[in-house]
Amino acid sequence: MAATVPAECRMANDIARNLGHLPGEEAAEAIAGHIGRFWDPRMRRRLNEHVDAGADRLDPLVVAAVKLLR
């Protein structure tokens, strides 16, 4: 059975792919801004939990964005 990627991780990685053309720190800030403005608090909490659990399957820019949101 194949492991599935949690929805929050998949969506955050999609955002990172769309903003990956920006320089590193600017991309992380843009991802954090998007997540902060448009994501439900429950979604942000689950993403935080995934980062705390090791951040496997997450783009490094997403991890940096989550750290900015904290």
Side-chain angles (χ1 to χ4, degrees), residues 4-14 39 43 46:
T4 60
V5 177
E8 291 80 14
C9 296
R10 189 178 63 252
M11 291 187 304
N13 285 336
D14 287 345
W39 282 33
M43 294 170 68
R46 287 190 295 265

Side-chain angles (χ1 to χ4, degrees), residues 15 19 26-39 44 65-66 68-69:
I15 295 166
L19 297 173
E26 189 177 337
E29 290 173 2
I31 294 164
H34 179 89
I35 290 170
R37 281 189 307 276
F38 299 111
W39 282 33
R44 291 192 302 265
V66 168
L68 290 172
L69 285 168

Side-chain angles (χ1 to χ4, degrees), residues 50-61:
H50 194 69
V51 169
D52 290 342
D56 62 320
R57 300 184 181 165
L58 280 176
D59 187 295
L61 287 172

